[in-house]
Amino acid sequence: EVQLVESGGGLVQAGGSLRLSCAASGFSFDDYGIGWFRQAPGKEREGVSCIGSSDGRAYYVDSVKGRFTISSDNAKKTVYLQMNSLKPDDTAVYYCAAIRRGSSWPTLLEHEYDYWGQGTQVTVSS
């Protein structure tokens, strides 16, 4: 059974930090990329960052560059999203997702992703 389980969300003040984790199981981790997405209230879900499990190459959207860092621990089959200098605009439910890497990789188009976690809430207070 494929599972992606996010953890690490919570309430933090603006300027603070959180580290999200995405624990994967049930598929060949090295063949997949992992992406982080977020959905704020009343807004569409958007891609934030993604990483190739086998090569560790990371990609970010402009709004989080320099503040967020994605990393992968292949031995633990876990991908992390370190979020620093958080802003109220970062408030959202954060999801991780897995995509079997092919011609569309790298991508943050959510319809390309095969498996999704249940999400974890991140709230940044001003």
Side-chain angles (χ1 to χ4, degrees):
E1 178 189 5
V2 172
Q3 279 194 318
L4 292 168
V5 180
E6 303 97 334
S7 61
L11 173 64
V12 64
Q13 288 187 332
S17 299
L18 284 173
R19 188 177 81 155
L20 305 183
S21 300
C22 172
S25 61
F27 60 92
S28 181
F29 190 73
D30 288 349
D31 293 336
Y32 281 73
I34 302 293
W36 282 98
F37 296 78
R38 65 186 180 185
Q39 187 167 22
K43 295 186 178 180
E44 294 187 352
R45 189 156 54 186
E46 64 170 350
V48 173
S49 180
C50 59
I51 188 168
S53 304
S54 61
D55 59 18
R57 293 185 67 180
Y59 306 87
Y60 302 91
V61 293
D62 287 346
S63 60
V64 306
K65 282 181 181 176
R67 301 189 299 123
F68 290 11
T69 303
I70 191 170
S71 61
S72 179
D73 184 335
N74 288 9
K76 295 182 178 180
K77 297 185 179 181
T78 299
V79 170
Y80 303 97
L81 186 67
Q82 177 68 43
M83 305 186 296
N84 299 328
S85 302
L86 282 163
K87 306 174 182 179
D89 284 349
D90 296 316
T91 294
V93 177
Y94 283 72
Y95 302 88
C96 67
I99 175 174
R100 187 172 181 88
R101 294 191 302 161
S103 59
S104 62
W105 180 260
T107 179
L108 283 172
L109 294 176
E110 61 175 288
H111 69 267
E112 297 278 2
Y113 281 72
D114 302 301
Y115 307 117
W116 289 83
Q118 82 290 348
T120 185
Q121 176 71 46
V122 171
T123 303
V124 184
S125 63
S126 57

